[in-house]
Amino acid sequence: MELQRLPKKSGILDHMKNKRVTMREVAALAGVSLKTVSRVVNGEPGVAEQTAEAVKDAINKTGYRVDPQAQALRRTDRRSRTVGLLVSSVANPFDAKIHAALEEVATEHSSTVLALSSNDDPNLTKQRAQVLVNRQIDGLVFSPLGKSQKWLADLMGDRPVVAFDRQPHGLDVDAVVSDNFQGALRATRHLISGGHRRIAFLGDRDIIETAQIRRAGFERAMGESGVEIAPGLVRSNLPGEEAARMSAHELLTGPEPLTAIFSAQNNLTAGVLRALKDLNMAEQIAVVSFDDLPHAELFKIGLTAITQDPERIGRIAAERLFARLRGDIDGPAETITVPTGFQIRGSGEIKPA
């Protein structure tokens, strides 16, 4: 079979127009060996600075792009140096901080992060997980959704997985979670100790485990204090900010009076605050939020909130993932619980009329 001959260096750029550039062509333009280009692309040592610059210049001129799958196959450890992140929404401040923490740790390990949102949709979660696996990720950090994630074990094979925010089920992997029950208990007790008895609860969708746990904490606090939970004041399965705004508006203008609101998720809290502003009732109704909002201390009445530590949660999850990848941890899966904090700023201290 006749070997294809590359054109002379002067005509290489013309030869590469309208075709996928190969590493061999980059080597020809830079005047170096194929192995040298490979070392530069993979960040391996042993290449003189001047030579490395010549290779990088050739890459820029040719528009060469690394094929992650082929690159992983060339490495002896068969790794892509890429990890996946599957969150509820990259727009949520909590998830954004998880993302930032994972990227910081990944950079320390010469890896990159591919992040996708599931929108807390079970079908979309599976689709997005498949997309990440197709990109040859080395491991995955994700927020579990639904009754079982056994399907993910089949999809990921022997690649490490770490869950965050919610406890996984049907999947034997490490998890890093907040103490949701104690946080909700503390928030509700705070309102009760302030003299409130007509306390409304606004919760996320029941398919989300943290929503169930936070409601359980609310109910425990109400029950242990002998305070009746008015069915009309409990609103669960709220899908987002606008639904929370409408629900809070109905509660605040309805026949059953209330003096306080425990909002069990930060997006829902934003909707509650909008409803209070619309009705000019921000100084009349006490509010405690589970999870903070950006710049909450700058509000006219600062937001009292149970606070999570997403930076710490994200870093712990990332460090567990890379420790599993390195083989530093090979024992059974563990769940690490990060305590919640409590910021008293004014909204939760409004007294009942």
Side-chain angles (χ1 to χ4, degrees):
M1 182 176 70
E2 183 179 353
L3 295 176
Q4 180 181 3
R5 296 182 180 275
L6 290 175
K8 293 183 179 180
K9 189 172 180 178
S10 59
I12 289 176
L13 293 177
D14 290 336
H15 171 74
M16 288 184 288
K17 288 181 180 179
N18 302 318
K19 72 183 288 292
R20 184 179 180 85
V21 181
T22 68
M23 191 179 290
R24 186 178 298 278
E25 290 165 329
V26 173
L29 182 62
V32 300
S33 68
L34 186 62
K35 179 61 177 177
T36 299
V37 176
S38 177
R39 283 177 175 168
V40 173
V41 168
N42 291 314
E44 297 175 7
V47 181
E49 184 177 349
Q50 185 176 357
T51 303
E53 288 302 319
V55 172
K56 292 174 183 177
D57 183 58
I59 289 173
N60 290 333
K61 287 180 178 178
T62 60
Y64 172 75
R65 293 291 181 268
V66 177
D67 182 340
Q69 296 185 29
Q71 187 182 40
L73 289 173
R74 284 193 293 270
R75 290 195 177 108
T76 57
D77 61 7
R78 294 293 191 267
R79 290 186 183 163
S80 64
R81 298 294 189 270
T82 303
V83 295
L85 174 64
L86 191 56
V87 298
S88 297
S89 172
V90 294
N92 187 298
F94 178 87
D95 288 335
K97 290 178 180 179
I98 295 289
H99 187 180
L102 179 57
E103 280 196 335
E104 183 177 338
V105 176
T107 300
E108 294 170 4
H109 291 81
S110 302
S111 295
T112 56
V113 177
L114 292 177
L116 295 176
S117 298
S118 70
N119 297 329
D120 283 327
D121 180 312
N123 292 326
L124 187 58
T125 297
K126 293 181 179 180
Q127 292 173 18
R128 293 288 165 84
Q130 183 66 64
V131 169
L132 291 171
V133 169
N134 289 346
R135 294 296 298 271
Q136 301 296 314
I137 55 172
D138 297 328
L140 176 69
V141 174
F142 85 117
S143 182
L145 181 68
K147 295 181 179 179
S148 174
Q149 294 81 49
K150 185 178 183 302
W151 57 271
L152 188 57
D154 299 331
L155 185 63
M156 290 295 293
D158 59 357
R159 284 172 285 196
V161 176
V162 177
F164 76 92
D165 190 33
R166 307 161 190 166
Q167 187 71 44
H169 298 281
L171 187 66
D172 188 27
V173 300
D174 295 319
V176 188
V177 299
S178 293
D179 196 339
N180 290 280
F181 185 82
Q182 288 297 325
L185 197 67
R186 187 175 189 180
T188 311
R189 284 173 175 170
H190 183 73
L191 291 171
I192 294 171
S193 68
H196 295 279
R197 297 296 179 269
R198 302 287 293 177
I199 304 172
F201 172 87
L202 273 67
D204 210 336
R205 286 167 286 184
D206 288 341
I207 192 175
I208 301 171
E209 185 182 56
T210 51
Q212 302 171 32
I213 296 173
R214 293 171 191 176
R215 178 169 176 173
F218 166 77
E219 293 173 345
R220 171 71 67 82
M222 296 288 277
E224 69 182 16
S225 301
V227 180
E228 181 183 358
I229 301 175
L233 298 185
V234 174
R235 302 292 178 94
S236 294
N237 278 310
L238 299 176
E241 180 180 334
E242 180 59 19
R245 186 193 68 80
M246 294 175 61
S247 187
H249 194 284
E250 291 175 5
L251 288 169
L252 293 164
T253 58
E256 296 190 37
L258 64 139
T259 62
I261 296 174
F262 172 37
S263 175
Q265 199 258 6
N266 57 358
N267 282 337
L268 304 185
T269 300
V272 169
L273 296 180
R274 289 186 184 280
L276 289 170
K277 183 177 183 296
D278 292 343
L279 297 169
N280 197 27
M281 298 178 71
E283 298 181 10
Q284 302 172 35
I285 305 296
V287 176
V288 175
S289 172
F290 197 111
D291 214 0
D292 222 344
L293 289 176
H295 312 301
E297 73 281 1
L298 301 180
F299 298 168
K300 183 178 180 181
I301 302 177
L303 179 66
T304 295
I306 298 296
T307 57
Q308 301 189 83
D309 193 345
E311 293 93 345
R312 185 179 174 192
I313 292 171
R315 173 161 278 276
I316 293 173
E319 289 174 346
R320 296 291 293 190
L321 184 75
F322 283 100
R324 293 282 184 186
L325 278 168
R326 294 191 307 267
D328 294 346
I329 302 175
D330 59 5
E334 295 182 38
T335 295
I336 300 169
T337 301
V338 177
T340 54
F342 192 36
Q343 290 290 331
I344 295 176
R345 301 192 181 104
S347 69
E349 294 65 58
I350 296 173
K351 299 297 182 181

